Amino acid sequence: MVQNKSVIFLNHPTGFPVVGQDFAVQSRELEVNLQPNDVLVKNLYISLDPYMRGRMSSHKSYVAGFEIGKPMLASGVSEVIESKNASFPVGTIVTGFVGWEEYSVISGAQDLRPLPDARNSKIPLSSYVGVLGMPGLTAYSSLKVIGQPKAGETIFISAASGAVGQLVGQIAKRQGLRVVGSAGSDDKVEYLLKELKFDAAFNYKTGSILESLKKHIPEGIDIYYENVGGETLEAVLEVMNTNGRIIACGMISQYNATSPYGVKNLMQFVSKRLMMRGFIVFDFAEECSADFAKDVGTWLVKGEIIYKEDVAEGIDSAPDAFIGMLKGKNFGKQVVKIADL
Amino acid sequence: MVQNKSVIFLNHPTGFPVVGQDFAVQSRELEVNLQPNDVLVKNLYISLDPYMRGRMSSHKSYVAGFEIGKPMLASGVSEVIESKNASFPVGTIVTGFVGWEEYSVISGAQDLRPLPDARNSKIPLSSYVGVLGMPGLTAYSSLKVIGQPKAGETIFISAASGAVGQLVGQIAKRQGLRVVGSAGSDDKVEYLLKELKFDAAFNYKTGSILESLKKHIPEGIDIYYENVGGETLEAVLEVMNTNGRIIACGMISQYNATSPYGVKNLMQFVSKRLMMRGFIVFDFAEECSADFAKDVGTWLVKGEIIYKEDVAEGIDSAPDAFIGMLKGKNFGKQVVKIADL
């Protein structure tokens, strides 16, 4: 038995999730009775991502819903502290799906991946659920496969300082595109311009999105990296170029909307021959994982790309950090630091 | 000089075009002063297609707008009656872009294609602007390239008895798909079921579109052939299957809408990993033209596919026929018969 603080899923939310009603931190005793191949891990970091709002919904989605009464799930970086699995001896640093909790028993070490270089790396451990993890692979693979970027084109990225957007922008920049982003505060806009070297950026909360797009992208958009949906998508459709591609990564403005926004100009798909495609990271994992690890790993170590994280401290902070992220309060990739190595 | 009745474009319409205000039949004298390579043609049939509403608009579109004060343009089947072009001697039957008019001078015989078999064929001349023309190639190529149909999948087609829809349905049926369509009258629905052998069909005007889709397609939609947009698209998104493809051929419900419909559930693109793509027929012409001519030509001669046309008689009938088509009053592909061979 170990005492284990977890974030338990309580109820399918309507609108923004409410702490105490829809999910809550609870301290429970964890029974550790490892069977052959099981491991007990101490969770160091978990990743909070917008798609998790979908797993809280009662609607069918591309990922299974969270189970009521059980801990919510996230990708994490963890340390094996008890093991009946020879491939994962005690002390191994791993990444995989764990609970939003201090300790998890992973049956059969399922889907865990060892990170042999992690313990002595210059790269922070949290990177393995961020720029080197699913958000990073999401950015890298979808830009390549769906976006098919060509030097000289213009890409517009919404939620551009977020987990995926900041990497998309930096990769596109390396490939010779003109890169423009939107974000929800002046600080974030300054970060896009000064740190990430975007060609242009604007705060979508101040002024008309359509006017901002026209001002900053007079040449029109060839690729739209879609993270927000709703009004932004409608404005983007007006200034897309013929044969433009829309990478539908997320539509965070709609996840908690009790009256979703009606997009009125889908005719642009016909008149401009546009393409929009949704995906999940696993769609392209086989095709892109090796190149991703090599490219992004190298760029990161050389300092050629940077990656901002917003670190919430302690499992107790996870529910509020999650709601904050859904409201755009995070600045950079949202993670929760649960424990030191 | 020949006396020439033409449909002249007068004004960019708001909402449905109005005869007399936005376009009108006028009789003018046509000066026939052929230069080398020019031909004079007598137009036999012209094709009326929904995309032409876009050419009447003042907005930028994928095709150039019609010119105010000039005849509207259409693809036609015509007979060369005067020629300074050795490749197009008098008597040649041709297809290409002509005016909505009795006679056209085609400078340099530009983009005309001779139809050497047309004069003695069992296939009606009007087919060359329908099932064997652009609407046919549109159906054949976009279903193949964007839809990527697989036997056992389900396709749903809106405006299914129209110029493109009826062919899409029959091709999909031959490829082993379950084929379901919607149309705007009980007659059309009966035609889909009885003549075209659709697996199911419904009248979208009677009852909720979403309920009809759920009733007739409990297995969900893998491919949506989109001709209408708006409310139908919104309902379809609810019942699309994961990894579904949407072939955005047209959105006729929106062409004349002064308040376009807002589609509220685009989140489905993310959660179901959907793809939607607009196109024009020329995008796939090179890739598909040869197979199209061979396949559809063979099926048509063998009677393995059928193709319903709605024939308006005489150039005077063209404006009303066009408006009727935009309102869904046509039953089958809308053509205008201008003259006998």
Side-chain angles (χ1 to χ4, degrees):
Chain A
M1 294 285 195
V2 293
Q3 201 62 29
N4 191 24
K5 269 194 187 170
S6 302
V7 178
I8 303 295
F9 183 48
L10 300 175
N11 197 49
H12 301 294
T14 305
F16 284 99
V18 175
V19 182
Q21 174 184 302
D22 301 318
F23 58 164
V25 178
Q26 294 182 3
S27 192
R28 295 177 171 187
E29 285 190 340
L30 177 67
E31 198 179 345
V32 182
N33 179 19
L34 299 187
Q35 304 300 307
N37 294 319
D38 293 357
V39 295
L40 172 68
V41 299
K42 178 175 85 168
N43 298 318
L44 308 174
Y45 285 93
I46 59 169
S47 167
L48 300 186
D49 297 287
Y51 81 88
M52 294 169 168
R53 178 61 183 81
R55 299 191 74 171
M56 298 181 81
S57 161
S58 55
H59 299 117
K60 210 169 93 175
S61 180
Y62 57 88
V63 284
F66 291 132
E67 212 174 323
I68 285 179
K70 295 279 178 69
M72 301 190 27
L73 300 173
S75 51
V77 178
S78 311
E79 181 184 13
V80 176
I81 59 170
E82 213 182 304
S83 177
K84 291 208 170 180
N85 188 313
S87 305
F88 295 91
V90 168
T92 309
I93 311 291
V94 296
T95 184
F97 271 95
V98 299
W100 297 24
E101 59 193 350
E102 295 173 300
Y103 301 94
S104 304
V105 171
I106 309 295
S107 175
Q110 199 185 357
D111 295 332
L112 290 186
R113 189 163 63 86
L115 298 170
D117 301 330
R119 194 177 283 272
N120 300 305
S121 171
K122 282 184 298 183
I123 297 171
L125 280 179
S126 54
S127 301
Y128 295 99
V129 292
V131 61
L132 293 177
M134 283 204 290
L137 180 57
T138 296
Y140 183 93
S141 63
S142 61
L143 176 62
K144 179 177 175 179
V145 179
I146 302 179
Q148 302 191 14
K150 289 179 268 302
E153 290 189 323
T154 294
I155 186 170
F156 173 65
I157 306 160
S158 54
S161 67
V164 175
Q166 54 180 320
L167 188 55
V168 170
Q170 292 178 89
I171 296 173
K173 199 75 196 137
R174 295 180 66 89
Q175 296 177 337
L177 282 80
R178 182 166 186 264
V179 176
V180 182
S182 65
S185 77
D186 292 343
D187 279 1
K188 291 177 183 176
V189 169
E190 199 184 321
Y191 172 72
L192 296 175
L193 293 170
K194 299 280 169 59
E195 305 292 327
L196 301 188
K197 314 293 182 193
F198 276 39
D199 296 290
F202 63 88
N203 181 344
Y204 74 89
K205 291 182 177 169
T206 55
S208 143
I209 298 172
L210 181 56
E211 290 311 312
S212 297
L213 289 172
K214 285 180 176 170
K215 177 179 158 193
H216 293 290
I217 316 180
E219 75 280 19
I221 297 170
D222 300 299
I223 304 175
Y224 172 42
Y225 203 96
E226 164 69 301
N227 288 308
V228 308
E231 211 179 333
T232 301
L233 176 56
E234 187 170 85
V236 164
L237 290 175
E238 292 295 309
V239 298
M240 286 293 289
N241 290 329
T242 299
N243 287 320
R245 291 83 73 196
I246 299 175
I247 304 162
C249 180
M251 297 193 182
I252 198 169
S253 74
Q254 304 298 295
Y255 295 173
N256 300 285
T258 44
S259 352
Y261 187 88
V263 173
K264 289 176 287 295
N265 56 351
L266 297 179
M267 254 303 297
Q268 300 285 5
F269 276 88
V270 177
S271 42
K272 293 179 182 167
R273 301 133 74 179
L274 305 179
M275 191 272 284
M276 174 160 77
R277 181 173 164 194
F279 66 99
I280 50 171
V281 64
F282 309 112
D283 292 341
F284 311 129
E286 203 176 324
E287 178 178 353
C288 295
S289 285
D291 284 348
F292 160 69
K294 182 168 62 71
D295 285 350
V296 178
T298 306
W299 299 335
L300 200 64
V301 169
K302 286 189 179 169
E304 293 178 8
I305 57 171
I306 58 178
Y307 193 73
K308 191 176 185 63
E309 292 175 348
D310 192 327
V311 184
E313 296 282 341
I315 188 67
D316 289 310
S317 70
D320 284 333
F322 183 67
I323 295 167
M325 180 192 63
L326 292 177
K327 294 184 173 172
K329 291 183 181 165
N330 61 308
F331 187 171
K333 163 82 190 99
Q334 183 70 57
V335 296
V336 180
K337 180 176 180 180
I338 301 179
D340 282 310
L341 182 60
Chain B
M1 292 282 193
V2 293
Q3 200 63 26
N4 191 24
K5 268 194 189 172
S6 304
V7 178
I8 303 295
F9 183 49
L10 300 176
N11 196 46
H12 303 295
T14 305
F16 284 100
V18 176
V19 182
Q21 175 183 302
D22 301 319
F23 58 165
V25 178
Q26 295 183 5
S27 193
R28 296 177 171 189
E29 285 189 339
L30 178 67
E31 197 181 345
V32 182
N33 178 20
L34 299 188
Q35 303 302 305
N37 295 316
D38 292 356
V39 296
L40 173 68
V41 298
K42 179 173 84 165
N43 297 318
L44 309 174
Y45 286 94
I46 59 168
S47 168
L48 300 186
D49 296 286
Y51 80 87
M52 293 168 168
R53 177 62 182 80
R55 298 191 75 170
M56 298 180 81
S57 161
S58 55
H59 299 118
K60 210 170 92 173
S61 181
Y62 57 87
V63 283
F66 292 133
E67 213 174 324
I68 285 181
K70 295 279 177 70
M72 298 187 35
L73 300 174
S75 52
V77 178
S78 310
E79 181 185 14
V80 176
I81 59 171
E82 211 180 304
S83 178
K84 292 210 170 176
N85 189 315
S87 306
F88 295 92
V90 169
T92 308
I93 311 291
V94 296
T95 183
F97 270 95
V98 300
W100 296 24
E101 57 191 352
E102 294 175 300
Y103 301 94
S104 304
V105 171
I106 309 296
S107 173
Q110 199 184 358
D111 295 332
L112 290 186
R113 188 163 64 85
L115 298 170
D117 301 329
R119 194 175 283 272
N120 299 306
S121 171
K122 283 186 299 185
I123 296 172
L125 281 178
S126 53
S127 302
Y128 294 100
V129 292
V131 61
L132 293 177
M134 282 205 289
L137 180 58
T138 296
Y140 183 93
S141 62
S142 61
L143 176 63
K144 179 176 175 182
V145 179
I146 303 179
Q148 303 192 11
K150 291 178 266 304
E153 291 189 322
T154 293
I155 186 170
F156 172 65
I157 305 161
S158 54
S161 67
V164 174
Q166 54 180 320
L167 187 57
V168 170
Q170 292 178 91
I171 297 173
K173 198 78 194 133
R174 295 180 66 88
Q175 296 178 337
L177 281 80
R178 182 164 187 266
V179 177
V180 183
S182 64
S185 78
D186 291 345
D187 280 0
K188 292 178 183 176
V189 169
E190 200 184 322
Y191 172 72
L192 296 175
L193 293 170
K194 299 277 168 61
E195 306 292 328
L196 301 189
K197 313 295 183 194
F198 274 40
D199 296 288
F202 62 89
N203 181 344
Y204 74 88
K205 290 182 178 168
T206 56
S208 142
I209 297 171
L210 181 57
E211 290 311 313
S212 297
L213 288 172
K214 285 179 176 171
K215 178 180 159 195
H216 293 290
I217 316 180
E219 75 278 21
I221 297 170
D222 300 300
I223 303 175
Y224 172 42
Y225 204 97
E226 164 68 302
N227 288 309
V228 307
E231 214 178 334
T232 301
L233 176 56
E234 187 171 85
V236 164
L237 290 175
E238 291 297 308
V239 300
M240 286 293 290
N241 289 330
T242 299
N243 287 321
R245 288 83 72 196
I246 299 175
I247 305 162
C249 180
M251 296 194 181
I252 197 169
S253 74
Q254 304 299 296
Y255 296 174
N256 300 285
T258 42
S259 0
Y261 187 88
V263 174
K264 290 177 287 296
N265 57 351
L266 297 179
M267 253 305 295
Q268 300 286 6
F269 275 89
V270 176
S271 42
K272 294 178 180 168
R273 297 134 74 179
L274 305 178
M275 191 272 285
M276 174 160 77
R277 182 174 163 191
F279 67 99
I280 50 171
V281 63
F282 308 113
D283 293 341
F284 311 129
E286 202 177 326
E287 177 178 353
C288 295
S289 286
D291 285 347
F292 161 68
K294 181 168 62 68
D295 286 350
V296 178
T298 306
W299 298 336
L300 201 64
V301 169
K302 286 188 179 170
E304 292 178 9
I305 57 172
I306 58 179
Y307 194 74
K308 191 175 183 64
E309 292 175 350
D310 193 327
V311 184
E313 295 284 340
I315 188 67
D316 288 314
S317 70
D320 283 332
F322 182 67
I323 295 168
M325 180 193 62
L326 292 177
K327 292 183 174 172
K329 289 184 182 164
N330 61 310
F331 188 172
K333 164 81 192 101
Q334 184 68 58
V335 296
V336 180
K337 180 176 178 179
I338 300 178
D340 281 311
L341 183 57

